[in-house]
Amino acid sequence: MTSSKIEWTDSTWNPITGCSKLSEGCRHCYAERMAKRLHHMGNPRYKNGFKVTIHEDLFETPLKWKKPSIIFVNSMSDLFHEEIPENVIVKLFNVMEQAAQHTFQILTKRSERLFEIADRLRWPKNVWMGVSIEAEEYAYRMELLKKTQAAVKFISFEPLLTQIDQRHSLKGIDWVIVGGESGPKARPMDKEWVQRLHRMADRDGASFFFKQWGGTNKKKSGRILDGKEWNNYPKLS
């Protein structure tokens, strides 16, 4: 288990590494930068750099972790990437179901593939399924997410690059995460975009988590919105 600096999770599990750029939010991918760094350092997990690589020897490692944790799955990849065979996805879902002491968070930009195979997956209560939406043009991803059988559905609006139309309904979404882009080439995020999503979440009953303002100095920019930190998690039945 690898401890995580991501504000909304405890740790990460990367049975798959590597990805490819799909949409505008991928332009300054943190995982790609990190993979290249690890490759140059000689880390054997990244001998292929940022090419999709399946690490079968890591598939069952969560079964060995006894302390209950919130685990972000494939922080260095996308579980629904087109190069990952469906039978691999099924195997990893089976492991997550067996490791019932943990909560697993999965995040994808590939909502079409998620929707395509969702009916062929088992959806235990400890698996939270999310999609990334970085701009209005990708808002359709939430509608495909809503059609899955995931017990907890969430959206990561990060890096938030445009305003999201308030006419979209977040009903059926349990959790909303919002964050700005960080790093040396970070694109700006408008405060009103964040406040609008906060109002939408309140309106439609989704829990709201504000991750960061981002920018070139993430720590200095902080994560205070309207005078406080917003650390709400899904309301579980």
Side-chain angles (χ1 to χ4, degrees):
M1 183 184 302
T2 303
S3 296
S4 176
K5 294 182 180 179
I6 300 171
E7 288 80 355
W8 43 263
T9 197
D10 295 333
S11 55
T12 58
W13 169 44
N14 281 290
I16 301 166
T17 55
C19 198
S20 56
K21 289 181 168 61
L22 179 72
S23 57
E24 192 56 35
C26 302
R27 185 190 296 186
H28 303 143
C29 177
Y30 78 90
E32 182 181 35
R33 292 198 306 270
M34 187 178 296
K36 288 180 177 179
R37 187 180 311 128
L38 292 167
H39 172 73
H40 290 305
M41 291 169 61
N43 187 311
R45 296 288 179 193
Y46 295 90
K47 63 183 180 181
N48 299 324
F50 203 51
K51 293 181 180 178
V52 173
T53 305
I54 297 170
H55 307 280
E56 292 192 27
D57 61 309
L58 298 180
F59 279 19
E60 296 189 357
T61 50
L63 301 176
K64 304 172 186 177
W65 302 332
K66 301 307 178 184
K67 182 181 178 180
S69 297
I70 300 175
I71 301 169
F72 181 22
V73 181
N74 286 343
S75 63
M76 297 294 290
S77 185
D78 185 329
L79 184 58
F80 292 90
H81 192 282
E82 54 274 12
E83 293 181 23
I84 300 173
E86 184 176 327
N87 72 300
V88 168
I89 299 173
V90 169
K91 286 179 182 178
L92 294 174
F93 264 73
N94 289 340
V95 170
M96 290 186 279
E97 183 174 19
Q98 292 176 58
Q101 71 272 30
H102 302 306
T103 296
F104 294 92
Q105 301 162 317
I106 306 171
L107 192 56
T108 185
K109 286 185 175 68
R110 291 164 168 82
S111 56
E112 294 94 337
R113 189 164 189 225
L114 165 64
F115 174 69
E116 176 189 343
I117 68 175
D119 287 344
R120 300 194 289 276
L121 299 173
R122 292 172 61 88
W123 291 94
K125 290 183 178 180
N126 65 325
V127 172
W128 299 2
M129 188 67 233
V131 295
S132 295
I133 297 175
E134 65 267 42
E136 170 63 29
E137 66 182 291
Y138 308 114
Y140 69 89
R141 292 173 183 162
M142 79 173 79
E143 300 308 321
L144 294 175
L145 172 65
K146 288 177 185 179
K147 295 177 182 179
T148 71
Q149 299 79 37
V152 173
K153 302 177 180 69
F154 69 99
I155 300 173
S156 174
F157 292 98
E158 185 191 9
L160 185 60
L161 303 175
T162 73
Q163 179 172 277
I164 303 299
D165 196 313
Q166 62 186 359
R167 289 176 294 181
H168 293 295
S169 173
L170 294 173
K171 291 186 183 297
I173 300 300
D174 301 286
W175 194 28
V176 168
I177 302 167
V178 181
E181 189 169 48
S182 61
K185 298 179 180 179
R187 290 161 284 184
M189 177 176 67
D190 192 284
K191 182 178 180 180
E192 170 56 29
W193 303 347
V194 182
Q195 291 173 322
R196 173 174 290 206
L197 282 169
H198 192 188
R199 292 193 297 269
M200 290 168 64
D202 279 348
R203 179 194 70 193
D204 295 333
S207 297
F208 181 83
F209 191 108
F210 183 55
K211 182 173 178 286
Q212 63 182 28
W213 287 107
T216 55
N217 189 329
K218 168 184 170 179
K219 189 172 182 179
K220 183 178 179 181
S221 300
R223 51 191 301 266
I224 301 296
L225 171 66
D226 295 332
K228 63 175 288 187
E229 291 186 357
W230 299 88
N231 298 314
N232 298 323
Y233 279 77
K235 301 178 180 70
L236 304 179
S237 56

